[in-house]
């Protein structure tokens, strides 16, 4: 049976992306938390990379879900940063409002662009549901400050290149070449610093019927054709 790929607009209304069994309620620290999934503590990272007493700090969390982790982080951050840290969370279904320094934006990442750059960008188990994952990573790279940091759960097996099934080795190689670090065992993708990244692939469409990924939840695979240089 021929594979039916869908575009990103269709994905926004996909039952897989709206799956209400997915975990949207992680807290900041503890057993089921951002710190555990990201394998580092964003507030500690920000404190270590704080440029000084007056400079604002900006943290963007993509696919923030219920925003619980961000609200908890904000409560911990006011002492650390003297109210200089602002946190932005974006999700298809974001909360209506949050504390003063937490901004929630409801909408699809597909057509959202920030007004400035961020010191830290995180995405906890969100890229699994994005269609054109490479385009998303290219955009994220432009949203970082020069020495900003990006960290996300990422499954290299969710990328299909040139109709060859999953291509984790080719995917990791291309991402590393573009300046990302990929920890295949932990399925963590990171990068340091702003860049205009070009990944040499053309998006063909997404498959929201590919079944569960390593998290056990149904996820979205992204299909590409290589662009030869
Ligand atoms: C597994 S949940 C993770 C939520 C949160 N990061 C957490 O760990 O608690 C994935 C989230 O991605 C969001 N999402 C999926 N596709 C999206 C898109 N195109 N734009 C914005 N949010 C999206 C879903 O609404 C969902 O809240």
């Amino acid at each position: 049976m021929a594979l039916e790929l869908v575009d990103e607009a269709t994905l926004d209304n996909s039952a897989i992306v709206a799956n209400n069994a997915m975990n949207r309620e992680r807290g900041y620290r503890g057993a089921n938390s951002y710190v555990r999934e990201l394998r580092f503590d964003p507030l500690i990272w920000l404190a270590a990379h704080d440029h000084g007493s007056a400079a604002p700090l900006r943290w963007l969390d993509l696919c923030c879900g219920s925003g619980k982790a961000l609200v908890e982080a904000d409560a911990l951050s006011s002492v650390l940063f003297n109210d200089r840290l602002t946190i932005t969370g974006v999700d298809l279904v974001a909360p209506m409002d949050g504390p003063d320094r937490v901004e929630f934006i409801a909408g699809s990442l597909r057509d959202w662009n920030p007004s400035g750059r961020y010191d830290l960008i995180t995405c906890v188990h969100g890229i699994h549901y994005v269609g054109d994952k490479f385009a998303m990573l290219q955009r994220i790279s432009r949203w970082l400050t020069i020495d900003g940091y990006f960290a996300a759960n990422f499954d290299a097996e969710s990328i299909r290149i040139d109709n060859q099934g999953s291509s984790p080795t080719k995917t990791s190689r291309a991402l590393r070449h573009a300046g990302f670090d990929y920890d295949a065992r932990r399925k963590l993708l990171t990068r340091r610093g702003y860049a205009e990244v070009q990944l040499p692939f053309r998006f063909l469409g997404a498959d929201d019927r590919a079944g569960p990924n390593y998290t056990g939840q149904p996820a979205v695979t992204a299909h590409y054709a290589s662009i030869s240089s």
Side-chain angles (χ1 to χ4, degrees), residues 22-26 34 63 65 91-92 107-109 124-125:
M22 68 168 66
N23 193 341
R24 304 182 70 252
E25 300 280 339
R26 284 185 184 85
Y34 268 38
C63 302
D91 197 285
L92 277 172
S108 176
L109 287 171
V124 176
H125 294 298

Side-chain angles (χ1 to χ4, degrees), residues 25-70:
E25 300 280 339
R26 284 185 184 85
Y28 184 66
R29 286 180 180 147
N32 175 31
S33 68
Y34 268 38
V35 169
R36 193 179 167 113
E37 295 304 311
L38 291 169
R39 309 252 176 184
F40 78 105
D41 188 319
L43 293 179
I44 292 177
W45 188 90
L46 283 161
H49 296 83
D50 189 357
H51 289 304
S53 55
L57 284 163
R58 301 179 83 210
W59 171 14
L60 171 65
D61 184 49
L62 305 171
C63 302
C64 65
S66 70
K68 184 168 183 261
L70 305 186

